[in-house]
Each structure stands twice: as structure tokens, then as C-alpha cells.
Amino acid sequence: MFEKLRIKEHMEVANSEGLHVGTVDEVDGDAIKLTKSDSADDIHHFLKLDDVEKIDHNRIYLKEGARIPAGLGNKAVMESA
């Protein structure tokens, strides 16, 4: 659980290709709770801690094939379009 202790509020979460997925709100048990502001549907979404590949500075990278809920990371793109 060393990695769990390194995950902090406001860290960026990226997929395996380095694309923005969301921002950490908090760690809730064995899941990462993401902020609503990165969600197209304005609700909190959760990612499994088991899906974390690595943590590099202030960024969390997910494993290839990690299940990412639909609509994450899209809100900022939609608002700037």
C-alpha cells in the first residue's frame, strides 16, 4: 500500500498513454475518488487502486486496459470547444 500513501488531493490522473483522465479528490478505501469538475456528468467517479501503474511526481498513470468511466476528462475539452 505504499503507492496509496503517495496519492494526494489534486494529483492528475492520466491513462497509460499520458492523456488526462481526471483529478484526485481523495482516496476512499481501495479506490481513487475523482473530482466532479473533470466529469462530463458532474458526479464523482472512482478508479481502482489496482489500476495504478505508477506515480511520477504529481501524476498518476493508469495501467493499459484500466477501466475508465465514460465522460472523464472530457468536460474541460467540451468547455473549451
Side-chain angles (χ1 to χ4, degrees):
M1 284 302 179
F2 173 73
E3 297 294 328
K4 180 178 176 176
L5 298 175
R6 293 180 57 201
I7 298 173
K8 305 293 181 203
E9 184 179 10
H10 302 299
M11 290 180 85
E12 180 183 9
V13 179
N15 66 13
S16 61
E17 298 172 354
L19 299 174
H20 180 82
V21 170
T23 305
V24 175
D25 193 10
E26 66 179 337
V27 175
D28 187 2
D30 288 334
I32 300 170
K33 180 180 179 181
L34 302 176
T35 61
K36 291 192 274 186
S37 61
D38 278 319
S39 171
D41 54 9
D42 283 324
I43 63 170
H44 290 285
H45 290 277
F46 294 83
L47 299 170
K48 294 180 185 178
L49 284 175
D50 291 342
D51 286 336
V52 174
E53 176 69 33
K54 67 179 180 177
I55 298 174
D56 188 18
H57 300 287
N58 200 37
R59 196 172 208 205
I60 299 165
Y61 291 89
L62 300 176
K63 295 176 182 174
E64 188 171 338
R67 191 189 79 70
I68 299 171
L72 284 178
N74 296 335
K75 186 173 182 180
V77 173
M78 290 172 26
E79 289 177 348
S80 66

